[in-house]
Amino acid sequence: MGRRWGSSRHLVRLAALFGVAVLAFLVVRWALMPEGFGVYGHYRAGALDDNRARPVRHAGQAACVECHTDVAEARAGGRHQRLSCEGCHGPLASHASDPGSSSGSRPDPRKTCLRCHEQNRSRPSGLPQIVVADHADEGPCTACHQPHQPGLS
Amino acid sequence: MESGRRAFLEQGARLLVLSMPAALAWEHILAGTPEAADNYDTAAHWWGFAIDIEQCIGCGLCVRACKDENDVPLEPFTFRTWVERYVIDPDDPDHPMVESPNGGYDGFADIPSSDRKVKTFFVPKLCNHCSSSPCVQVCPVGATFDSPDGVVLVDKQRCLGCRYCVQACPYGTRYIDPRTHVVDKCTLCYHRITRGLTTACCEVCPTGARMLGDLKNPNDPIHEFLRSRKVHVLKPQMATHSKAYYAGLDGSVR
Amino acid sequence: MEGVQGFIYPNELELQWSVLIVLYPFITGLVAGAFILASLERVFNVRAVKPTYRLALLTALAFLIVAPLPLQLHLGHPERSFSMYLTPHTQSAMAMFGFVYLWYLTVVLLLEIWLDYRKEIVEFWKASTGPKRWLYAALALGVDNIDAASLRVDDRLGRAVTIIGIPSAFLLHGYVGFIFGSLKANPWWSTPLMPVVFLFSAIVSGIALVMLLYIVLTWLRRHRIDMVCVDTIAQYLLYALIIDFSLEMLDLIHRLYEADESLKALDFMVRTRLWTSQVIVQIISGTVVPIVLLGLLQLGPLITSTGRSVLARAIRGLWEFRLPIYVLAGTLTMIGIFAMRWNVVIGGQLFSKSFLGYTVYKMQFATREGLLPAVVLMVLPFVILWVLVRLLPPWDQEETEPATRPARAH
């Protein structure tokens, strides 16, 4: 028995080394395991909060309407009444939370309109479109159209 | 003026009702601590998305809004959402001409006029938030996952940047953020929808071609959309169980 | 955008996986192939290849050590890569591969080398001085029993390890094939044949590598090359090449026959962007030419003694000249297998998943994932092998047991 073990002494030592390595790995794993892992699934629960914690940049129409009741009234009944304010005016959450600190940008009085209304045959029918050369070669669209109530004025 | 005021009140009431949770959360947003708004229960929601091809005018406002809202790099051309334009010659339907100039960020130029009558339309694309998503399946460390409310998200603290998920997505919706070297993609504006707001792309869409939908909410318009329209998903043969439903999707769309 | 043809999804402009990810299956393939060659002797008792047994094991180790390096260079956050062991996603082939690698490195390769070399390690330990003494003592784990009984234990255990090692080697490289083959999103990769194709091309490249190393190193040491050994290895190389070629042709024929939606796009891609690397380098020069060369040489022993026709004389001449032909065939094979990895990895990313367009791979030179690090990573295993060969010389065995039976074509 002693002789047999003697022949395998190196294997015993190797097995012990392996055992120590496995133990060390388990300890490291316990120490480094991210908090909240596995609560909802194979991911870190905190990732849900991380994704929720991003800054909001578009205020949403409800926020604009809270203060700019005059614009909401002006748009009522018009063809642009359901358009998002920020579609033309850009993201405005910082303005909505602190109106004094920043104000929205005035949209380009031509490019903004042409983005939707310049003729494009790929668009579905029903949207008023113009061929620029025939309609108004240059100059702002606001010369004739009021964007909040776009019927001809 | 009377009708105008009534319309205004109706519109205001509608907005208020639909955005009750938004109103509740708004104080926190105004205060600059949006993460403190904690009236959101993941178990009460199952998010999906509806796209009406027949309403999309290819204005590209959604692409721009998404880049503004989510800090997506403008170069080197990475997109959480983009718009494609198809032009199909009826005599050669197997070879559609497709383009997406800068993802549609600046809109599209008109197609050249010709005598041939072609079929042409726009297709907005975004992460399909598949419920059997192949990207979640292949991530080696669980850095991308399916949230309990059905949104496929990325854990940027744990992503290795191995790009296996980018290879696994059949729709090309994922990319590596060149600044942080981790993967990024459409999050369905998770930071907004958990506060009762809608996604940035839906917010600015002028025609209602894009609609966020909560499949667990019985009053959500997406149910009527799915019931009344002929609806399709992209690459159904992949069985990813995509939750981005397209109405009016032509068979040629890849 | 330059280089883009047709329509690609906007996020597909730049390739995700670079030349480093081409290098990675190439290196692990060499490991698996070299190990299979070593196991020919140990498990299947092909005595003729014994002179290369230890060299093959050391080669496998040298390459396996380098194998994770291209991956680390490629990762966006290599410092987080240990997460694969902390929170492995069991559904992810990439995550499970981390464990397959670890298993193969420790329980198969290191253990087998240790068991085979233990006697010499202890002898070197006792005979050295200074830091080398400590090194060998550590390698021996401070245990110095090399009596006959202990060596018998080592031999039996080593044989068991090699037996486990063969399916482990299959798993090691088959898994890499599965990493590609299981992606339904990519029709160039998605096939159940992928692990098998990868495995057999690995075997081919590993055998070729060990053959070349043996010839070159023995020549450098000014020793006599054991031609029976080399002839036998070349035979196995031929068999493996034939199987590999059949598998690749099977995949091709299957694709052409089924002609599914991806065929047109893939066919166009091969004809234009992959023509040189796939048809010329991989198939013709990397597989067909070596098969023809090695196949002709198989006729050599048959014809040596008979026949006076021009053909017989030509083949006899070829047979006399076979050593350089082995070197040529081995080199072409290795280049061909590298091209195969290139065609799979890069080729799979050159076409758009819309099947309507193509992009280009812009390989850079001195960036983290460029050509320069790729070249360094290919040279590094040979440097490590040189160190290993100095520490644990694989040469003694050929001096004591020369094979004498002439090789015969089967």
Side-chain angles (χ1 to χ4, degrees), chain C residues 351-399:
Chain C
F351 68 97
S352 164
K353 294 198 179 83
S354 69
F355 305 144
L356 291 174
Y358 309 90
T359 184
V360 285
Y361 175 38
K362 297 194 179 83
M363 180 164 61
Q364 306 187 303
F365 185 67
T367 55
R368 196 158 79 118
E369 294 200 63
L371 185 57
L372 184 60
V375 168
V376 169
L377 286 175
M378 266 318 293
V379 170
L380 188 57
F382 294 100
V383 173
I384 295 177
L385 182 61
W386 180 81
V387 171
L388 288 175
V389 162
R390 293 285 298 264
L391 267 182
L392 301 171
W395 310 120
D396 293 326
Q397 306 193 327
E398 78 169 332
E399 251 70 275

Short mmCIF file of all heavy atoms in Angstrom, two decimals, chain C residues 351-399:
data_model
loop_
_atom_site.label_atom_id
_atom_site.label_comp_id
_atom_site.label_asym_id
_atom_site.label_seq_id
_atom_site.Cartn_x
_atom_site.Cartn_y
_atom_site.Cartn_z
N PHE C 351 -20.64 40.34 -47.26
CA PHE C 351 -21.94 40.55 -47.91
C PHE C 351 -22.92 41.03 -46.86
O PHE C 351 -22.78 40.74 -45.67
CB PHE C 351 -22.42 39.25 -48.57
CG PHE C 351 -22.77 38.17 -47.60
CD1 PHE C 351 -24.08 37.97 -47.20
CD2 PHE C 351 -21.78 37.36 -47.05
CE1 PHE C 351 -24.40 36.98 -46.28
CE2 PHE C 351 -22.09 36.37 -46.13
CZ PHE C 351 -23.41 36.18 -45.75
N SER C 352 -23.90 41.76 -47.33
CA SER C 352 -24.89 42.30 -46.41
C SER C 352 -25.94 41.24 -46.09
O SER C 352 -26.28 40.41 -46.93
CB SER C 352 -25.58 43.51 -47.04
OG SER C 352 -26.76 43.82 -46.34
N LYS C 353 -26.48 41.30 -44.89
CA LYS C 353 -27.55 40.36 -44.53
C LYS C 353 -28.85 40.68 -45.27
O LYS C 353 -29.83 39.95 -45.15
CB LYS C 353 -27.77 40.36 -43.02
CG LYS C 353 -26.58 39.81 -42.26
CD LYS C 353 -26.97 39.40 -40.85
CE LYS C 353 -25.81 38.83 -40.10
NZ LYS C 353 -24.92 39.83 -39.49
N SER C 354 -28.85 41.79 -46.03
CA SER C 354 -30.00 42.05 -46.88
C SER C 354 -29.87 41.29 -48.19
O SER C 354 -30.80 41.28 -48.99
CB SER C 354 -30.08 43.55 -47.18
OG SER C 354 -28.99 43.94 -48.02
N PHE C 355 -28.72 40.68 -48.44
CA PHE C 355 -28.39 39.98 -49.69
C PHE C 355 -28.43 40.91 -50.89
O PHE C 355 -28.56 40.46 -52.02
CB PHE C 355 -29.34 38.80 -49.95
CG PHE C 355 -29.40 37.81 -48.83
CD1 PHE C 355 -30.58 37.17 -48.51
CD2 PHE C 355 -28.27 37.51 -48.08
CE1 PHE C 355 -30.65 36.26 -47.47
CE2 PHE C 355 -28.33 36.60 -47.04
CZ PHE C 355 -29.53 35.98 -46.74
N LEU C 356 -28.33 42.21 -50.62
CA LEU C 356 -28.40 43.15 -51.73
C LEU C 356 -27.12 43.93 -51.93
O LEU C 356 -27.06 44.80 -52.78
CB LEU C 356 -29.55 44.15 -51.50
CG LEU C 356 -30.96 43.59 -51.59
CD1 LEU C 356 -31.97 44.65 -51.19
CD2 LEU C 356 -31.26 43.12 -53.00
N GLY C 357 -26.10 43.65 -51.13
CA GLY C 357 -24.91 44.46 -51.28
C GLY C 357 -23.70 43.88 -50.59
O GLY C 357 -23.76 42.83 -49.94
N TYR C 358 -22.57 44.58 -50.77
CA TYR C 358 -21.29 44.10 -50.27
C TYR C 358 -20.50 45.26 -49.73
O TYR C 358 -20.63 46.39 -50.19
CB TYR C 358 -20.49 43.42 -51.40
CG TYR C 358 -21.33 42.39 -52.11
CD1 TYR C 358 -22.10 42.73 -53.20
CD2 TYR C 358 -21.38 41.08 -51.63
CE1 TYR C 358 -22.91 41.81 -53.82
CE2 TYR C 358 -22.19 40.15 -52.25
CZ TYR C 358 -22.95 40.51 -53.33
OH TYR C 358 -23.76 39.60 -53.93
N THR C 359 -19.63 44.95 -48.78
CA THR C 359 -18.72 45.98 -48.28
C THR C 359 -17.30 45.46 -48.45
O THR C 359 -17.08 44.40 -49.04
CB THR C 359 -19.05 46.34 -46.82
OG1 THR C 359 -18.21 47.39 -46.40
CG2 THR C 359 -18.85 45.16 -45.91
N VAL C 360 -16.31 46.23 -47.98
CA VAL C 360 -14.93 45.78 -48.11
C VAL C 360 -14.29 45.71 -46.73
O VAL C 360 -14.69 46.41 -45.81
CB VAL C 360 -14.07 46.73 -48.97
CG1 VAL C 360 -14.39 46.57 -50.41
CG2 VAL C 360 -14.21 48.16 -48.52
N TYR C 361 -13.24 44.89 -46.64
CA TYR C 361 -12.48 44.81 -45.41
C TYR C 361 -11.24 45.68 -45.57
O TYR C 361 -10.41 45.43 -46.43
CB TYR C 361 -12.08 43.36 -45.14
CG TYR C 361 -11.17 43.21 -43.94
CD1 TYR C 361 -11.35 43.97 -42.80
CD2 TYR C 361 -10.13 42.28 -43.94
CE1 TYR C 361 -10.53 43.83 -41.71
CE2 TYR C 361 -9.32 42.12 -42.84
CZ TYR C 361 -9.51 42.91 -41.73
OH TYR C 361 -8.71 42.75 -40.63
N LYS C 362 -11.17 46.70 -44.73
CA LYS C 362 -10.00 47.58 -44.82
C LYS C 362 -9.03 47.19 -43.71
O LYS C 362 -9.13 47.70 -42.59
CB LYS C 362 -10.44 49.04 -44.65
CG LYS C 362 -11.38 49.52 -45.74
CD LYS C 362 -11.50 51.05 -45.71
CE LYS C 362 -12.40 51.56 -46.80
NZ LYS C 362 -13.82 51.52 -46.50
N MET C 363 -8.14 46.28 -44.02
CA MET C 363 -7.18 45.87 -43.00
C MET C 363 -6.11 46.94 -42.87
O MET C 363 -5.51 47.34 -43.86
CB MET C 363 -6.54 44.52 -43.36
CG MET C 363 -5.54 44.05 -42.33
SD MET C 363 -5.11 42.31 -42.48
CE MET C 363 -4.42 42.24 -44.09
N GLN C 364 -5.86 47.36 -41.63
CA GLN C 364 -4.84 48.37 -41.43
C GLN C 364 -3.55 47.69 -41.00
O GLN C 364 -3.52 46.47 -40.82
CB GLN C 364 -5.34 49.37 -40.40
CG GLN C 364 -6.68 49.92 -40.85
CD GLN C 364 -7.15 51.04 -39.98
OE1 GLN C 364 -7.28 50.86 -38.78
NE2 GLN C 364 -7.37 52.18 -40.58
N PHE C 365 -2.52 48.48 -40.79
CA PHE C 365 -1.23 47.86 -40.54
C PHE C 365 -0.85 47.89 -39.07
O PHE C 365 -0.74 46.86 -38.41
CB PHE C 365 -0.14 48.51 -41.39
CG PHE C 365 1.20 47.83 -41.25
CD1 PHE C 365 1.36 46.54 -41.74
CD2 PHE C 365 2.25 48.45 -40.61
CE1 PHE C 365 2.57 45.89 -41.59
CE2 PHE C 365 3.47 47.79 -40.46
CZ PHE C 365 3.62 46.51 -40.95
N ALA C 366 -0.62 49.08 -38.53
CA ALA C 366 -0.06 49.14 -37.18
C ALA C 366 -1.11 49.49 -36.14
O ALA C 366 -0.82 50.14 -35.15
CB ALA C 366 1.09 50.15 -37.15
N THR C 367 -2.33 49.08 -36.32
CA THR C 367 -3.36 49.32 -35.30
C THR C 367 -3.53 48.06 -34.48
O THR C 367 -2.95 47.01 -34.79
CB THR C 367 -4.71 49.68 -35.93
OG1 THR C 367 -5.05 48.63 -36.84
CG2 THR C 367 -4.62 51.00 -36.65
N ARG C 368 -4.38 48.16 -33.45
CA ARG C 368 -4.52 47.03 -32.52
C ARG C 368 -4.98 45.77 -33.22
O ARG C 368 -4.64 44.67 -32.83
CB ARG C 368 -5.52 47.43 -31.43
CG ARG C 368 -5.49 46.54 -30.22
CD ARG C 368 -6.06 47.27 -29.04
NE ARG C 368 -7.51 47.26 -29.09
CZ ARG C 368 -8.30 46.71 -28.16
NH1 ARG C 368 -7.76 46.13 -27.12
NH2 ARG C 368 -9.59 46.76 -28.28
N GLU C 369 -5.79 45.93 -34.25
CA GLU C 369 -6.28 44.74 -34.96
C GLU C 369 -5.73 44.67 -36.38
O GLU C 369 -6.35 44.09 -37.25
CB GLU C 369 -7.81 44.78 -35.01
CG GLU C 369 -8.44 44.65 -33.65
CD GLU C 369 -9.89 44.21 -33.73
OE1 GLU C 369 -10.14 43.09 -34.21
OE2 GLU C 369 -10.77 45.00 -33.34
N GLY C 370 -4.58 45.23 -36.60
CA GLY C 370 -4.04 45.30 -37.95
C GLY C 370 -3.14 44.14 -38.30
O GLY C 370 -3.02 43.15 -37.58
N LEU C 371 -2.48 44.29 -39.44
CA LEU C 371 -1.64 43.24 -39.97
C LEU C 371 -0.42 43.00 -39.09
O LEU C 371 -0.01 41.85 -38.87
CB LEU C 371 -1.19 43.62 -41.39
CG LEU C 371 -0.39 42.57 -42.15
CD1 LEU C 371 -1.18 41.28 -42.26
CD2 LEU C 371 -0.04 43.09 -43.54
N LEU C 372 0.14 44.07 -38.55
CA LEU C 372 1.37 43.93 -37.77
C LEU C 372 1.17 43.06 -36.54
O LEU C 372 1.91 42.08 -36.34
CB LEU C 372 1.90 45.31 -37.38
CG LEU C 372 3.24 45.33 -36.64
CD1 LEU C 372 4.32 44.70 -37.50
CD2 LEU C 372 3.63 46.76 -36.27
N PRO C 373 0.17 43.34 -35.69
CA PRO C 373 -0.05 42.42 -34.57
C PRO C 373 -0.36 41.00 -35.01
O PRO C 373 0.03 40.04 -34.34
CB PRO C 373 -1.23 43.02 -33.82
CG PRO C 373 -1.62 44.23 -34.52
CD PRO C 373 -0.70 44.50 -35.63
N ALA C 374 -1.03 40.86 -36.16
CA ALA C 374 -1.33 39.51 -36.65
C ALA C 374 -0.03 38.76 -36.96
O ALA C 374 0.13 37.58 -36.61
CB ALA C 374 -2.21 39.58 -37.88
N VAL C 375 0.90 39.45 -37.61
CA VAL C 375 2.17 38.81 -37.94
C VAL C 375 2.93 38.46 -36.66
O VAL C 375 3.48 37.36 -36.52
CB VAL C 375 3.01 39.73 -38.86
CG1 VAL C 375 4.42 39.22 -38.98
CG2 VAL C 375 2.37 39.83 -40.24
N VAL C 376 2.96 39.40 -35.74
CA VAL C 376 3.66 39.14 -34.47
C VAL C 376 3.05 37.92 -33.77
O VAL C 376 3.77 37.05 -33.27
CB VAL C 376 3.57 40.39 -33.55
CG1 VAL C 376 4.04 40.06 -32.14
CG2 VAL C 376 4.39 41.52 -34.14
N LEU C 377 1.72 37.85 -33.76
CA LEU C 377 1.07 36.73 -33.09
C LEU C 377 1.33 35.42 -33.80
O LEU C 377 1.29 34.35 -33.18
CB LEU C 377 -0.43 36.98 -32.99
CG LEU C 377 -0.84 38.02 -31.96
CD1 LEU C 377 -2.33 38.28 -32.04
CD2 LEU C 377 -0.47 37.58 -30.56
N MET C 378 1.60 35.44 -35.09
CA MET C 378 1.93 34.20 -35.78
C MET C 378 3.36 33.79 -35.52
O MET C 378 3.68 32.60 -35.55
CB MET C 378 1.72 34.36 -37.30
CG MET C 378 0.37 33.93 -37.81
SD MET C 378 -0.26 32.40 -37.10
CE MET C 378 0.88 31.20 -37.72
N VAL C 379 4.22 34.76 -35.28
CA VAL C 379 5.63 34.44 -35.02
C VAL C 379 5.82 34.00 -33.58
O VAL C 379 6.64 33.12 -33.27
CB VAL C 379 6.50 35.67 -35.34
CG1 VAL C 379 7.92 35.47 -34.86
CG2 VAL C 379 6.49 35.95 -36.84
N LEU C 380 5.01 34.57 -32.70
CA LEU C 380 5.19 34.31 -31.26
C LEU C 380 5.17 32.82 -30.87
O LEU C 380 6.02 32.39 -30.08
CB LEU C 380 4.10 35.07 -30.49
CG LEU C 380 4.21 35.10 -28.97
CD1 LEU C 380 5.54 35.69 -28.54
CD2 LEU C 380 3.07 35.93 -28.38
N PRO C 381 4.27 32.01 -31.41
CA PRO C 381 4.29 30.60 -31.01
C PRO C 381 5.62 29.91 -31.34
O PRO C 381 6.04 29.01 -30.61
CB PRO C 381 3.16 29.96 -31.81
CG PRO C 381 2.32 31.07 -32.28
CD PRO C 381 3.18 32.27 -32.36
N PHE C 382 6.25 30.33 -32.41
CA PHE C 382 7.52 29.70 -32.77
C PHE C 382 8.61 30.10 -31.76
O PHE C 382 9.49 29.30 -31.43
CB PHE C 382 7.93 30.08 -34.19
CG PHE C 382 7.00 29.52 -35.22
CD1 PHE C 382 6.01 30.31 -35.78
CD2 PHE C 382 7.09 28.19 -35.61
CE1 PHE C 382 5.13 29.79 -36.72
CE2 PHE C 382 6.22 27.66 -36.54
CZ PHE C 382 5.24 28.46 -37.09
N VAL C 383 8.51 31.33 -31.28
CA VAL C 383 9.44 31.77 -30.24
C VAL C 383 9.22 30.95 -28.97
O VAL C 383 10.17 30.44 -28.36
CB VAL C 383 9.24 33.28 -29.96
CG1 VAL C 383 10.07 33.72 -28.77
CG2 VAL C 383 9.58 34.10 -31.18
N ILE C 384 7.96 30.80 -28.60
CA ILE C 384 7.65 30.00 -27.41
C ILE C 384 8.09 28.56 -27.60
O ILE C 384 8.63 27.91 -26.69
CB ILE C 384 6.13 30.07 -27.11
CG1 ILE C 384 5.73 31.49 -26.74
CG2 ILE C 384 5.76 29.10 -26.00
CD1 ILE C 384 4.27 31.68 -26.49
N LEU C 385 7.88 28.05 -28.81
CA LEU C 385 8.29 26.67 -29.10
C LEU C 385 9.80 26.52 -28.94
O LEU C 385 10.30 25.54 -28.39
CB LEU C 385 7.86 26.26 -30.51
CG LEU C 385 8.19 24.83 -30.91
CD1 LEU C 385 7.49 23.84 -30.00
CD2 LEU C 385 7.80 24.58 -32.36
N TRP C 386 10.53 27.52 -29.40
CA TRP C 386 11.98 27.48 -29.26
C TRP C 386 12.37 27.38 -27.80
O TRP C 386 13.23 26.59 -27.41
CB TRP C 386 12.58 28.73 -29.93
CG TRP C 386 14.06 28.80 -29.85
CD1 TRP C 386 14.98 28.18 -30.63
CD2 TRP C 386 14.81 29.59 -28.91
NE1 TRP C 386 16.25 28.51 -30.26
CE2 TRP C 386 16.18 29.36 -29.20
CE3 TRP C 386 14.47 30.45 -27.87
CZ2 TRP C 386 17.20 29.99 -28.48
CZ3 TRP C 386 15.48 31.06 -27.15
CH2 TRP C 386 16.83 30.83 -27.46
N VAL C 387 11.70 28.19 -26.95
CA VAL C 387 11.98 28.13 -25.50
C VAL C 387 11.63 26.75 -24.96
O VAL C 387 12.40 26.14 -24.20
CB VAL C 387 11.17 29.22 -24.76
CG1 VAL C 387 11.26 29.03 -23.26
CG2 VAL C 387 11.63 30.59 -25.17
N LEU C 388 10.48 26.23 -25.36
CA LEU C 388 10.05 24.91 -24.85
C LEU C 388 11.01 23.82 -25.29
O LEU C 388 11.34 22.91 -24.52
CB LEU C 388 8.64 24.58 -25.36
CG LEU C 388 7.50 25.38 -24.74
CD1 LEU C 388 6.19 25.04 -25.43
CD2 LEU C 388 7.39 25.10 -23.25
N VAL C 389 11.47 23.91 -26.54
CA VAL C 389 12.38 22.89 -27.05
C VAL C 389 13.71 22.94 -26.30
O VAL C 389 14.35 21.91 -26.06
CB VAL C 389 12.57 23.07 -28.58
CG1 VAL C 389 13.81 22.35 -29.07
CG2 VAL C 389 11.34 22.59 -29.32
N ARG C 390 14.12 24.15 -25.90
CA ARG C 390 15.35 24.26 -25.11
C ARG C 390 15.16 23.69 -23.71
O ARG C 390 16.02 23.01 -23.17
CB ARG C 390 15.73 25.75 -24.99
CG ARG C 390 16.15 26.39 -26.30
CD ARG C 390 17.53 25.95 -26.71
NE ARG C 390 18.52 26.36 -25.73
CZ ARG C 390 19.25 27.46 -25.83
NH1 ARG C 390 19.11 28.26 -26.86
NH2 ARG C 390 20.12 27.77 -24.89
N LEU C 391 13.99 23.96 -23.14
CA LEU C 391 13.73 23.48 -21.78
C LEU C 391 13.49 21.98 -21.73
O LEU C 391 13.95 21.28 -20.85
CB LEU C 391 12.45 24.16 -21.24
CG LEU C 391 12.59 25.44 -20.44
CD1 LEU C 391 11.20 25.88 -19.99
CD2 LEU C 391 13.48 25.23 -19.22
N LEU C 392 12.70 21.51 -22.68
CA LEU C 392 12.27 20.11 -22.68
C LEU C 392 12.53 19.50 -24.05
O LEU C 392 11.63 19.35 -24.85
CB LEU C 392 10.76 20.02 -22.36
CG LEU C 392 10.30 20.62 -21.04
CD1 LEU C 392 8.78 20.67 -20.98
CD2 LEU C 392 10.84 19.79 -19.86
N PRO C 393 13.78 19.16 -24.32
CA PRO C 393 14.11 18.71 -25.68
C PRO C 393 13.30 17.49 -26.08
O PRO C 393 13.20 16.53 -25.32
CB PRO C 393 15.60 18.33 -25.56
CG PRO C 393 16.10 19.06 -24.37
CD PRO C 393 14.93 19.19 -23.43
N PRO C 394 12.70 17.54 -27.25
CA PRO C 394 11.91 16.40 -27.72
C PRO C 394 12.69 15.40 -28.54
O PRO C 394 12.10 14.55 -29.19
CB PRO C 394 10.84 17.08 -28.58
CG PRO C 394 11.51 18.28 -29.15
CD PRO C 394 12.57 18.70 -28.17
N TRP C 395 14.02 15.46 -28.51
CA TRP C 395 14.75 14.73 -29.53
C TRP C 395 15.25 13.36 -29.16
O TRP C 395 15.51 12.55 -30.01
CB TRP C 395 15.97 15.53 -29.99
CG TRP C 395 15.63 16.90 -30.34
CD1 TRP C 395 16.12 18.03 -29.76
CD2 TRP C 395 14.71 17.34 -31.34
NE1 TRP C 395 15.58 19.15 -30.34
CE2 TRP C 395 14.69 18.74 -31.31
CE3 TRP C 395 13.89 16.67 -32.26
CZ2 TRP C 395 13.90 19.50 -32.16
CZ3 TRP C 395 13.10 17.42 -33.10
CH2 TRP C 395 13.11 18.83 -33.04
N ASP C 396 15.33 13.05 -27.86
CA ASP C 396 16.08 11.83 -27.51
C ASP C 396 15.52 10.58 -28.16
O ASP C 396 16.23 9.66 -28.48
CB ASP C 396 16.07 11.64 -25.98
CG ASP C 396 16.87 12.73 -25.33
OD1 ASP C 396 17.85 13.16 -25.93
OD2 ASP C 396 16.49 13.16 -24.23
N GLN C 397 14.22 10.53 -28.30
CA GLN C 397 13.61 9.25 -28.66
C GLN C 397 14.07 8.73 -30.01
O GLN C 397 14.26 7.54 -30.20
CB GLN C 397 12.10 9.41 -28.67
CG GLN C 397 11.65 9.97 -27.33
CD GLN C 397 10.18 9.86 -27.14
OE1 GLN C 397 9.44 9.95 -28.08
NE2 GLN C 397 9.79 9.65 -25.91
N GLU C 398 14.29 9.61 -30.98
CA GLU C 398 14.62 9.09 -32.31
C GLU C 398 15.98 8.40 -32.29
O GLU C 398 16.23 7.50 -33.08
CB GLU C 398 14.62 10.20 -33.36
CG GLU C 398 15.87 11.06 -33.33
CD GLU C 398 15.95 11.97 -34.54
OE1 GLU C 398 15.42 11.59 -35.59
OE2 GLU C 398 16.55 13.04 -34.43
N GLU C 399 16.85 8.81 -31.39
CA GLU C 399 18.16 8.18 -31.32
C GLU C 399 18.05 6.72 -30.89
O GLU C 399 18.82 5.88 -31.30
CB GLU C 399 19.04 8.94 -30.29
CG GLU C 399 20.16 9.72 -30.93
CD GLU C 399 19.66 10.92 -31.70
OE1 GLU C 399 19.30 10.75 -32.86
OE2 GLU C 399 19.64 12.03 -31.14
#
